Amino acid sequence: METVLILVDKILDNKEKYKQAVDILKNGGIVAFPTETVYGLGALATDERAVQEIFKAKGRPSDNPLIVHIGNKEDVSKYATGVTEDAEKLMTAYWPGPLTLVFDKIPGVIAANVTPGVETVGIRMPDHPVALELLRALDGPLAAPSANRSGKPSPTEAAHVYEDLKGQIPLILDGGQTGIGVESTVLDMTTNPPSILRPGGITQEMIEEIIGTVQAGSQVPGDEAPRSPGMKYMHYAPKAPLFVISPDETTIRGTVKMLQMEGKRVAIIGPDDLNIPEADWYLSVGPRNHNEVMAARLYGALRQCDMTEADIILAVETDLTGVGTAVMNRLMKAADGKRFI
Ligand code: TXA
Ligand code: MG
């Protein structure tokens, strides 16, 4: 299969391009598209065979549920029950936006393989003009995981999708670089209080500002709420082993020299202002503790590591303010929990 990449800029009239995508989706095909977080790989969520194509193209374990993307807040009630007043408040505050809400599902509407093994459904309204226009033109729900091969970092640009899924999918809508760079926050509204299953673009503080205390899961891989099936898989793993390291210049330089004495070549993912001349590769992710910039650049940097000949990757940790919690959650996963001091 040939994979076509088409540019959907925000100025030109793109009707014809969306029609191409909608035709594919209505005929049981899958299409990659940008959201404000990462690129998604979409299928019509009511079409079980099309959804099956997503699992096949990604090599995704079939027991990991997909998020349903909608174009209007009101559509939630077509697919979910138990939409509480608190949920309504969150939707008013943060939709469209990077917040997935998990509700009890209405049986028999969304295809069974979108929500394998669970009685719930995760729903979000993405905040990206291309995603919203696609949903409007389709006039239906899109089941969409991140558009990467399973186990690779999520794609933050169309080229990443192409790299992973070339030959497996017919169409990628190229809307440029995504803004946020890490995936949406997944909040389970079926527990009391609601619980954060995955930290993301909407922080715990932002949620608590609207509805009061919520439960936050642990950041340690293997220790998360088992209710989010996706959390049990190792994710976002680059080829070389990755270790998280604290942002101390002397420690990092010492570690790099030690590793090099063992014959290893070292790539570092870190802030602009660290001076580590010994590093074989230095991939900058913005000023120190500027977590929004780091979130936007992190997955690209992990992918760049795969293009180096590094034997080991050291990723400099950031603080936990704002989206920093999500950034550190993804880094600890990529590291499979490993860290130097
Ligand atoms: O930002 C995002 O959320 C991106 C864009 C494309 O929207 N999507 C995304 O999807 O990250 P995916 O499939 O890569 O991650 C979805 C996560 C998984 O950890 C999955 O287990 C969890 O959400 N999830 C989905 N539905 C769920 C449900 N009903 N109950 C618990 N967890 C659920
Ligand atoms: Mg994913």
Side-chain angles (χ1 to χ4, degrees):
M1 178 189 298
E2 197 204 342
T3 301
V4 179
L5 236 147
I6 54 179
L7 202 65
V8 266
D9 55 65
K10 286 155 202 159
I11 302 152
L12 296 174
D13 180 9
N14 291 305
K15 269 212 181 80
E16 205 36 55
K17 298 172 181 172
Y18 287 104
K19 188 179 174 307
Q20 224 176 307
V22 167
D23 284 346
I24 292 172
L25 292 166
K26 288 205 164 144
N27 285 299
I30 58 181
V31 171
F33 62 96
T35 80
E36 80 281 32
T37 57
V38 299
Y39 274 75
L41 181 59
L44 190 59
T46 48
D47 182 343
E48 182 150 6
R49 284 189 35 200
V51 171
Q52 190 50 39
E53 293 298 312
I54 292 178
F55 287 95
K56 209 170 89 190
K58 280 187 59 105
R60 180 180 176 107
S62 61
D63 64 345
N64 192 3
L66 307 178
I67 293 170
V68 174
H69 297 68
I70 57 174
N72 297 297
K73 293 178 197 179
E74 299 72 42
D75 288 353
V76 164
S77 56
K78 294 184 187 167
Y79 314 117
T81 58
V83 180
T84 57
E85 216 170 289
D86 277 352
E88 298 273 5
K89 283 187 201 160
L90 288 170
M91 285 154 50
T92 303
Y94 298 126
W95 278 10
L99 177 66
T100 296
L101 297 174
V102 174
F103 297 111
D104 289 319
K105 67 180 168 192
I106 296 177
V109 188
I110 295 293
N113 55 352
V114 173
T115 56
V118 291
E119 297 308 315
T120 55
V121 58
I123 303 178
R124 87 178 190 97
M125 181 178 175
D127 187 16
H128 191 288
V130 174
L132 288 172
E133 184 55 31
L134 180 63
L135 285 161
R136 199 197 58 73
L138 176 68
D139 195 23
L142 268 179
S146 49
N148 51 287
R149 270 299 288 180
S150 205
K152 294 265 281 180
S154 292
T156 51
E157 43 187 283
H160 297 162
V161 181
Y162 191 75
E163 196 175 282
D164 281 12
L165 300 177
K166 171 176 42 138
Q168 309 250 47
I169 62 173
L171 182 65
I172 302 169
L173 295 178
D174 181 353
Q177 195 133 15
T178 62
I180 294 175
V182 292
E183 304 84 347
S184 63
T185 304
V186 179
L187 182 68
D188 189 348
M189 296 305 294
T190 69
T191 61
N192 190 11
S195 33
I196 296 177
L197 302 180
R198 177 177 74 179
I202 300 289
T203 64
Q204 181 175 356
E205 298 72 44
M206 290 166 78
I207 294 168
E208 293 186 334
E209 214 170 278
I210 308 291
I211 61 166
T213 310
V214 296
Q215 281 172 266
S218 161
Q219 283 183 65
V220 184
D223 199 24
E224 289 93 355
R227 292 171 57 87
S228 183
M231 299 299 254
K232 70 175 183 268
Y233 300 105
M234 189 170 142
H235 261 160
Y236 325 114
K239 286 178 195 143
L242 183 145
F243 292 79
V244 171
I245 191 162
S246 55
D248 179 70
E249 212 165 86
T250 317
T251 312
I252 299 173
R253 292 184 68 171
T255 306
V256 171
K257 282 184 211 153
M258 183 195 78
L259 289 164
Q260 287 171 335
M261 272 176 358
E262 292 171 9
K264 295 193 168 106
R265 278 170 303 174
V266 186
I268 295 185
I269 295 175
D272 301 342
D273 59 329
L274 273 183
N275 180 29
I276 317 286
E278 296 85 358
D280 296 287
W281 295 272
Y282 196 93
L283 302 157
S284 168
V285 284
R288 190 178 312 197
N289 294 335
H290 278 48
N291 292 336
E292 285 177 13
V293 180
M294 185 163 176
R297 295 196 192 164
L298 178 66
Y299 289 151
L302 287 172
R303 280 179 183 264
Q304 270 181 290
C305 283
D306 280 346
M307 290 190 248
T308 70
E309 265 130 47
D311 301 297
I312 187 163
I313 304 162
L314 301 177
V316 180
E317 75 182 342
T318 190
D319 69 21
L320 296 177
T321 56
V323 76
T325 307
V327 166
M328 284 312 299
N329 169 272
R330 305 309 191 270
L331 262 188
M332 288 309 283
K333 275 175 185 289
D336 202 21
K338 302 185 300 295
R339 58 173 302 146
F340 278 99
I341 312 306

